[in-house]
Amino acid sequence: MHLADEAAAHAFGARIAAVLRAGDVVALSGPLGAGKTSIARGLLAALGLAGEAPSPSFAIVQPYDPPEIRMSVLHVDLYRIEHPDEARELGLDDALEDGALLVEWPERLGDDPWPEALWLSLAFDEAGGRRLTARVPDAWESRWPLT
């Protein structure tokens, strides 16, 4: 899939929000500046967040809960995590009981921390914009492709 610009990334995030459920993990992978946070911002805006979501790069975890948005979401940026053991202290899996995880830099946790995650990989496209590829697990098959 091709995302032409930031507006396209926001719109794609909104399409994910339309089918997001408690227990879901959306993993966003790609180099710096590829658009991971833009997709996250589109998703959070579609869930009702007023204003622009800050990047959680320094906080690592940015929680959002009702009534701010329609369901609980932890927006996580693992860029500064140096070892997977550091993430255990964040309690990410606990959030899946009644909410969803939106995880940037998921590869920092090893090969496959959430096998049922919708894994989105972004890359710079030579023609401009971004190229997005998705690994769609069984838990997402009935919701994919996004409409």
Side-chain angles (χ1 to χ4, degrees):
M1 168 182 287
H2 184 263
L3 300 175
D5 53 24
E6 186 175 14
H10 277 244
F12 184 75
R15 290 177 17 219
I16 295 169
V19 298
L20 192 69
R21 301 174 185 158
D24 282 342
V25 177
V26 178
L28 298 164
S29 182
L32 286 170
K36 298 178 295 294
T37 301
S38 293
I39 290 173
R41 286 177 174 152
L43 184 150
L44 291 165
L47 291 177
L49 184 66
E52 187 173 89
S55 172
S57 293
F58 292 102
I60 300 177
V61 176
Q62 180 66 46
Y64 297 94
D65 292 299
E68 184 178 31
I69 62 175
R70 75 169 168 83
M71 67 181 290
S72 295
V73 174
L74 286 186
H75 183 191
V76 183
D77 186 325
L78 299 174
Y79 182 73
R80 296 186 314 129
I81 297 292
E82 294 183 16
H83 192 275
D85 290 341
E86 293 177 53
R88 287 196 184 100
E89 298 172 19
L90 301 175
L92 301 180
D93 289 334
D94 295 339
L96 294 174
E97 290 177 25
D98 62 354
L101 289 177
L102 186 54
V103 183
E104 299 185 39
W105 300 96
E107 59 277 3
R108 298 284 200 176
L109 296 185
D111 290 338
D112 208 0
W114 298 284
E116 290 300 311
L118 175 64
W119 195 285
L120 304 173
S121 298
L122 292 150
F124 294 100
D125 193 320
E126 291 178 11
R130 305 297 186 265
R131 188 176 58 256
L132 182 141
T133 56
R135 184 181 78 195
V136 182
D138 291 343
W140 283 85
E141 290 247 341
S142 66
R143 298 178 268 172
W144 195 268
L146 302 173
T147 57

